[in-house]
Amino acid sequence: MIVQQNVSLKPYNTFGLNENAGFLAIVTSIDDLDEIYQTGRFRSQKKMILGGGSNVLFTRGFTGVVGKNEIRGIEIQRETKEDVLVAVGAGENWHQFVLWCVERGYGGVENLSLIPGTVGAAPMQNIGAYGVELKEVFHSLEAYEISSGKTISFFREDCKFGYRYSIFKGELRDEYVITKVFFKLSKQPVFNTSYGAIQDTLEKMEVKKFSLQNVSQAVINIRQSKLPDPLDIGNAGSFFKNPVIEKLHFEALSAQFAQIVSYPVDEEKVKVPAGWLIEQAGWKGFRDGEVGVHDRQALVLVNHGNGRGRDLLKLSKEIQKSVQSTFGIDLEREVNVV
Ligand code: FAD
Ligand code: EPU
């Protein structure tokens, strides 16, 4: 296993935060995980696992061992006329895996095109976009139990998936390293174009017949027009989750803010876009030195170059306070603070 000492994490997180790791270990196998977690070498060190670093906020250096997940491999396990079960190493790049599926005609992940990061982190927050969530194609996963070194299987019900949530982000946080994910994909795909922007984009692309390729391309086009590329400006996508509030609360807000947007959740609750709330509270395009709020998507906090994680965290708390005092709504962080 390659281990480097005292390494800058700047190339390993999409905020581009220049914090150091005591050790950076490149994990390519279960043996490497054993070396980090079970042998004496790193016993006294703190440990964390990192994928593509696209959903973490480093607020200080990490004095211990950062294990960068590079466990690879994509393998078809089972195939019928209707579907296919695919096992994917947790360190595979998510978008490359989506393209692999699209090329072969395996449907289910095309709406999740261009989400940064690794396959292993995808179940962590049940990634979602454009009307689809990971849980819809998820079959099971294998995870390394840190306390015992054993590999444990988790099926869909075990993961307790919710909106940007799984058991690995909740009660089992820091207890497992996801090493392999199994997906059930359809060989007779049903296209999900319910998200208005996809239909509009397909029309603009003059698509006559839906295919996995053109749905994926439509999603890529929308994302590129809406979300800043971390290569241009440091960010981690949505900083907060979209809050779910009581309908009664929403009705009271609508009387005051006629333009407020919402999506139905159930009989009693609605989801409100955090980007709208943050923009209305006056933060869109805000800049304080090296950190700020994106000028086209207020849900995205940005590092203009030499920002610090602690300044982003401070800004995020000011935004939370301001949204609470304007709308009486608590914004919950989506990003993982280290
Ligand atoms: P990391 O940032 O490396 O890790 C995230 C967390 O998971 C950390 O706590 C880490 O310790 C833990 N972790 C990572 N790998 C493992 C593992 N193998 N086992 C256990 N724990 C692990 N997300 C969406 O859901 N939808 C979007 O549309 C979306 N758009 C985005 C757009 C941009 C421009 C960016 C920068 C981010 C976006 N995200 C989106 C967020 C991010 O891409 C996802 O959360 C992604 O799954 C993170 O993967 P990662 O490998 O980078 O995880
Ligand atoms: N909006 C504003 N001002 C803004 C930003 C948004 O008014 O500055 C309004 C938009 O006009 C729109 C609504 O908010 O009416 C929703 O905006 P958008 O379609 O851009 O999506 P979002 O709710 O901000 C969510 C996810 C994204 C995902 C997209 C597409 C969350 C927290 N975010 O964003 O996921 O890609 O929908 O499905 O659910 C992520 O998790 O990191 C992420 C990028």
Side-chain angles (χ1 to χ4, degrees), residues 12 14 48-56 69 90 114-122 124-130 164 168 173-174 176-179 223 227-230 235-238 334 336 338:
Y12 303 107
T14 61
M48 75 165 281
I49 203 81
L50 190 65
S54 63
N55 211 15
V56 283
N69 194 330
L114 212 64
I115 297 183
T118 53
V119 167
M124 169 82 179
Q125 71 158 11
N126 178 30
I127 55 168
Y130 299 100
R164 297 294 189 274
F168 302 102
R173 185 182 266 277
D174 297 330
Y176 289 86
V177 177
I178 296 166
T179 52
R223 295 184 68 95
L227 287 162
D229 183 340
N235 76 88
S238 303
E334 177 190 301
N336 300 278
V338 179

Side-chain angles (χ1 to χ4, degrees), residues 29 95 198 211 216 329:
S29 65
H95 180 60
I198 297 188
S211 69
S216 167
I329 294 178

Side-chain angles (χ1 to χ4, degrees), residues 139-159:
H139 175 273
S140 58
L141 62 76
E142 285 176 5
Y144 178 89
E145 190 171 63
I146 291 170
S147 62
S148 68
K150 286 187 186 141
T151 292
I152 311 284
S153 287
F154 289 83
F155 292 86
R156 195 186 312 187
E157 317 71 62
D158 306 325
C159 297

Side-chain angles (χ1 to χ4, degrees), residues 68-288:
K68 177 152 181 348
N69 194 330
E70 293 199 2
I71 299 174
R72 303 246 186 250
I74 306 186
E75 206 178 287
I76 295 174
Q77 303 279 296
R78 253 195 344 248
E79 197 166 354
T80 67
K81 246 200 247 158
E82 289 83 35
D83 49 43
V84 57
L85 184 70
V86 186
V88 190
E92 289 287 344
N93 174 274
W94 173 263
H95 180 60
Q96 293 307 315
F97 166 60
V98 170
L99 294 181
W100 183 93
C101 297
V102 166
E103 269 165 33
R104 284 162 183 77
Y106 302 154
V109 285
E110 58 282 358
N111 290 44
L112 303 176
S113 295
L114 212 64
I115 297 183
T118 53
V119 167
M124 169 82 179
Q125 71 158 11
N126 178 30
I127 55 168
Y130 299 100
V132 172
E133 285 187 334
L134 171 107
K135 68 174 185 199
E136 291 158 49
V137 287
F138 178 89
H139 175 273
S140 58
L141 62 76
E142 285 176 5
Y144 178 89
E145 190 171 63
I146 291 170
S147 62
S148 68
K150 286 187 186 141
T151 292
I152 311 284
S153 287
F154 289 83
F155 292 86
R156 195 186 312 187
E157 317 71 62
D158 306 325
C159 297
K160 299 197 181 155
F161 289 125
Y163 164 59
R164 297 294 189 274
Y165 180 80
S166 80
I167 197 164
F168 302 102
K169 204 174 176 178
E171 59 196 274
L172 297 185
R173 185 182 266 277
D174 297 330
E175 291 187 30
Y176 289 86
V177 177
I178 296 166
T179 52
K180 199 184 266 188
V181 187
F182 296 77
F183 297 91
K184 195 170 176 193
L185 301 159
S186 170
K187 287 164 82 175
Q188 288 147 19
V190 180
F191 302 104
N192 184 338
T193 58
S194 57
Y195 217 91
I198 297 188
Q199 285 175 18
D200 296 346
T201 308
L202 286 168
E203 267 170 43
K204 269 196 217 126
M205 287 163 61
E206 296 182 1
V207 164
K208 301 273 176 304
K209 195 166 174 283
F210 290 165
S211 69
L212 294 178
Q213 270 85 1
N214 51 41
V215 172
S216 167
Q217 191 56 53
V219 170
I220 291 172
N221 293 355
I222 301 167
R223 295 184 68 95
Q224 284 175 336
S225 73
K226 281 198 163 189
L227 287 162
D229 183 340
L231 292 175
D232 299 330
I233 187 164
N235 76 88
S238 303
F239 196 92
F240 303 102
K241 295 183 186 184
N242 285 328
V244 174
I245 63 169
E246 298 291 333
K247 257 191 182 156
L248 282 177
H249 185 178
F250 179 75
E251 279 156 19
L253 287 172
S254 306
Q256 215 185 328
F257 306 94
Q259 307 299 320
I260 191 166
V261 188
S262 76
Y263 315 107
V265 171
D266 59 31
E267 294 284 290
E268 278 131 40
K269 296 203 160 83
V270 297
K271 199 186 260 183
V272 182
W276 188 89
L277 299 170
I278 297 169
E279 178 174 350
Q280 296 304 310
W283 292 97
K284 196 168 184 169
F286 173 86
R287 181 168 179 168
D288 181 10

Side-chain angles (χ1 to χ4, degrees), residues 291-308:
V291 301
V293 178
H294 195 254
D295 55 7
R296 278 184 291 120
Q297 212 330 340
L299 191 45
V300 177
L301 301 199
V302 294
N303 172 13
H304 287 284
N306 295 311
R308 301 296 302 262

